Amino acid sequence: MTHGRTILHHNSRHPHARKNTPNWLIKIINILGIVNFVGMTTILFSEHPMPTGQMTPGVKQQSPRTQYNKAVDINKTIQQLRQSGIYNVSVVDHPRLPPWKLIEHQYGRDPIILGLDQCREFREMNANKESRLVTPVGLFNSGTNLLADLLELNCKTQSGENKMSLFQPPWGKHTPREFRDEHTIPHHPYTSIPPSTVLPVVLMRHPFDWMKSMCRRPYAVYWPFDGRNASDFVCPSIVKGHNRTQKIFVSFGAGNQTFESIAHLWNNWNRGWYNSLAFPRLVIRMEDLLFHADKVLAKICACAGGTMIDQFKVPLKSSKSNQLGHYNHETTFLREFIRHGNLQSWDRFLHRDVVAARALLDKELLQIFQYHYHT
């Protein structure tokens, strides 16, 4: 029987069995039990997908169509990391590297960059090449700090003497589109920068992954007292009892707003910037900053009329540490690459939140940016 060793190991612990069993036999039985445990652990953590019918509800599983040669695909992953300026992977991180085909399965083969057709217009609007600026724009936890660091490290003006990047635009990097022309950060240098000289790069992030980050670090997003502080609150709490949406309160620098749920915040904020065609802007995915950093940065820099440095660099320390308004937690580029490249799991979500998210999230945006549920 397939469970023979498990049964034998179990019986060896029976009090009556120990009385008549030699010590040397008990040791052998215990060793067999350990081998059995290790074997089961190997199966559980192997690279192969679970058989049909054994998939955990709410957890993203690898499709049988994504079978891969792990050794070959890991080499592709290492090649991409080298293109991003990472040449040394520790013995701790190497076993955790995601195979390249697994990354492609989740996010596609190529980066997504919208708005490149507006680049010429931006450069013509700003004839002074040294005055052109480029800056990240995005929701909280959408990768704005990472993009700011990448731009500062790699993109310069055509003369090569000045940096082109701003930490945020004059109107604020988290500001909704409707406040772009009404709000200015009230201190230097933002008060002296004309908005038309700034090319905003809008960052999207997979909404399920983004909501998990918001649960860990909500920043200026607040669930009402009858929500987040309730004894039965489970983040992200898109809906509460009787399937009613859980309203949230957001304190933007430009003003406060209330949304029907955190899913509505993702929809409205991203849709506002996606629909904006009144001035040049680019829209990218945060995930592409990790898996195609060199390609994406080259496109952004060229769009703004800048020039890339010869050797591409990535920030080696956390993009959020020691900055005002951010928690001091250590997150390196490589660890984010590993975390987002491996299979993403949504099992922390309540079933009602998963159902609500699938019903409420902007389906057109999900399709355009190739964000899938995999649940």
Side-chain angles (χ1 to χ4, degrees), residues 114 122 133-149 151 164-181 183 185 190 195-205 210 252 254 266 268-276 279-287 289 296 300 326 369 371:
L114 304 182
F122 174 77
L133 295 167
V134 59
T135 182
V137 173
L139 275 168
F140 317 101
N141 289 311
S142 63
T144 56
N145 291 333
L146 173 59
L147 178 55
D149 286 349
L151 287 168
M164 294 194 66
S165 62
L166 278 176
F167 177 69
Q168 61 182 330
W171 59 87
K173 63 178 180 177
H174 300 311
T175 301
R177 165 62 186 91
E178 58 265 33
F179 295 126
R180 185 255 189 186
D181 301 320
H183 178 70
I185 299 173
Y190 303 107
S196 60
T197 64
V198 178
L199 176 68
V201 182
V202 183
L203 287 129
M204 296 273 186
R205 182 176 178 179
W210 172 78
F252 294 112
W266 190 91
N268 295 1
W269 199 101
N270 289 309
R271 172 60 72 172
W273 279 100
Y274 172 80
N275 286 347
S276 180
F279 50 86
R281 58 91 181 97
L282 299 179
V283 187
I284 67 173
R285 299 185 301 185
M286 185 208 76
E287 294 83 3
L289 289 182
V296 173
I300 294 173
H326 295 105
F369 292 96
Y371 287 141

Side-chain angles (χ1 to χ4, degrees), residues 183-196:
H183 178 70
T184 302
I185 299 173
H187 54 77
H188 182 78
Y190 303 107
T191 53
S192 60
I193 299 175
S196 60

Side-chain angles (χ1 to χ4, degrees), residues 115-122 276-277 279-282 303:
L116 292 173
D117 56 329
Q118 298 177 301
C119 295
R120 182 176 179 180
E121 179 186 350
F122 174 77
S276 180
L277 299 174
F279 50 86
R281 58 91 181 97
L282 299 179
C303 180

